[in-house]
Amino acid sequence: MGPGGTCWRGAGVTGGVRRWLSSAAPLPRLCVVGSGPAGFYTAQHILKHHGGAHVDIYEKLPVPFGLVRFGVAPDHPEVKSYGAEDNRVLGIPGENLSGVYSARAFVGWYNGLPENRDLKPDLSCETALILGHGNVALDIARILLSPLHLLRQTDITEGSLAALACSKVKRVWLVGRRGPLQVAFTIKELREMINLPGTRPVLNPADFTGLENAVKDAPRPRKRLTELMIKTALEKREEKAVEVQAGAPREWGLKFQRSPQAVLPAADGRRARGVRLALTRLEGSGDSAKAVPTGDVEELECGLVLSSIGYRSLPLDPTVPFDTQRGVIPNSSGRVEGVPGLYCSGWVKRGPTGVIITTMNDSFDTAQSVLEDLQAGVLDVATSREGFGAVESILHSRGVRPVSFSDWEKIDAAEVARGKAAGKPREKIVDPQEMLRLIGH
C-alpha cells in the first residue's frame, strides 16, 4: 500500500497482556506494510496493549514515515497526513496538456517525494486554477502565493524553493462544483489563507446571499466557516478599490458551482491556456447536494491547472481483494474480506477522507480487531512463523540489502545537517540512490 493505506498480516494481538505472559503460547509476530501514519498508529496500539507482540514495519522507500514526511504542506508539519498512491483523473479533454498537474504530484514535488522530484512544473503564467475546495487545494494555493521568507523557514525542497522564487503566479482561483455550504476545507486553513501576507482574498458577496439563515441550524464548524467566508466577502469588497490602486501583489479567490468540461489548448496545441467550466445548480441541500449542469458555460484563462479532486489507492496484489469503484480493500473493521489474518487501515480501508486524527482512530479500530482475533485464538501464531527472519532470507537470496532504521538515522542526520546550514529544519534528499550511497549501499 502507499503511505496512506496500510495492509498487514498478523498473528494478531490481544488486550490481555497477562494472559500472554503467563501462558506458553507463542508470541505473535506482525508485519505492517507501509510506514505512514496508519501503519505506525496501528503498531503503536498493538504494542501498547500486548506486551509480547513483535511488529516489523516495511517501507518501499529508503526513508520511513510516509506522508508524515511527504505530507501536504511543509509549513504545516503538525498536520501532515495525506496518502494513497494515485489520484482521481478528471476524465475531460485536454487534461494531458502541458501545465496540467495532479495535486498529488505537485504536493510530492514540493515535499521531496522521490517519484515527483523531476516534475518541473511550469510557473511562468500569472493565473493558476485549482480544481477542488478541500484543504489540499488551499495548501497548494498558499504555497504558490506565500512570501519566500516564510517558505525558507520550512523543509520545502531546495529545488522547489528555487522554482517558486522565479514563479510568475500572482493569482489563484479555487473552483468547485458545488456551493459555499459544501466546501471541504476547514476554518483554520481558510483563516490562514485570508491572512496570508501580501495577498488579498477575492470573494463575491453575491455567492453568499441568504446563507446566514441557511446555516443557523448547521453544525457549529460549518456555521463558523460560512460566517467567515461571508464576513471576508463583505469586508474585502470595501477594501478592493483601495487595494487595486495600491497594486496588491497577489490574490486568490473561490469560485462556486462550476464543473470542468475541458482544458483549452494554447495556439501551439501543447500547453494549457484556460479551462472551460460548466455552470451548475444544486439539487438537494447540505453535504448530499448534487451539482447539475445548467447548460451555460464560461471560460477562465490560466496557464497552470492543478486537479485536487481526490486521491485513490491502487490494488496491492491479485490475491488481495480490491473494490476498484471505491478504491478500497473490502473489509469489516479492518479485517480483509475472505483473507483471514490480513488487515488494512488508512485510506485503503475507508477511502481518501479525513486528517491525522481520523487516521489515528481508524488505525486503533483495526488494531483492536487484530487484538480481538488473537484473543479468540483464530490466528496462527506458531513458532514456524519467522517474521522478518524469513523475509530477510528471501531478500538476501535476491541480492537485496534492506535499509535498516539505523541506516535511516544516518540519512536523517545528513538531512538535518544540510538544513541547518541553510537555516531550515532539514534539507530532504530527493534521490533514493543518493540516500543509498550515503549509507554505503
Side-chain angles (χ1 to χ4, degrees), residues 309-324:
I309 58 168
Y311 294 70
R312 63 189 301 274
S313 296
L314 296 173
L316 177 65
D317 184 89
T319 61
V320 179
F322 192 76
D323 182 338
T324 52

Side-chain angles (χ1 to χ4, degrees), residues 122-153:
D122 185 348
L123 305 177
S124 63
C125 61
E126 288 194 352
T127 304
L129 186 151
I130 303 173
L131 296 165
H133 277 170
N135 279 342
V136 177
L138 273 188
D139 281 323
I140 291 172
R142 195 177 64 254
I143 295 298
L144 284 170
L145 297 177
S146 280
L148 283 175
H149 74 271
L150 295 181
L151 291 178
R152 284 196 182 100
Q153 300 165 22

Side-chain angles (χ1 to χ4, degrees), residues 316-355:
L316 177 65
D317 184 89
T319 61
V320 179
F322 192 76
D323 182 338
T324 52
Q325 286 291 108
R326 296 175 56 222
V328 298
I329 292 175
N331 70 90
S332 175
S333 294
R335 298 176 178 92
V336 176
E337 289 181 9
V339 191
L342 189 65
Y343 302 80
C344 61
S345 184
W347 284 7
V348 80
K349 171 187 174 184
R350 69 178 187 275
T353 57
V355 290

Side-chain angles (χ1 to χ4, degrees), residues 222-238:
R222 174 66 67 187
K223 185 170 183 284
R224 289 178 61 230
L225 178 65
T226 307
E227 287 171 349
L228 178 58
M229 286 190 283
I230 294 170
K231 178 172 177 279
T232 304
L234 296 176
E235 277 183 0
K236 298 302 174 182
R237 178 175 57 176
E238 316 299 331

Side-chain angles (χ1 to χ4, degrees), residues 319-403:
T319 61
V320 179
F322 192 76
D323 182 338
T324 52
Q325 286 291 108
R326 296 175 56 222
V328 298
I329 292 175
N331 70 90
S332 175
S333 294
R335 298 176 178 92
V336 176
E337 289 181 9
V339 191
L342 189 65
Y343 302 80
C344 61
S345 184
W347 284 7
V348 80
K349 171 187 174 184
R350 69 178 187 275
T353 57
V355 290
I356 192 76
I357 191 71
T358 326
T359 296
M360 182 180 76
N361 291 328
D362 170 82
S363 301
F364 290 170
D365 170 67
T366 297
Q368 198 58 40
S369 294
V370 180
L371 291 164
E372 290 169 5
D373 289 354
L374 194 67
Q375 192 163 27
V378 298
L379 296 174
D380 181 0
V381 294
T383 51
S384 60
R385 300 256 170 170
E386 295 178 57
F388 181 64
V391 175
E392 192 172 30
S393 299
I394 295 169
L395 293 174
H396 184 73
S397 70
R398 296 178 181 175
V400 176
R401 183 179 166 190
V403 174

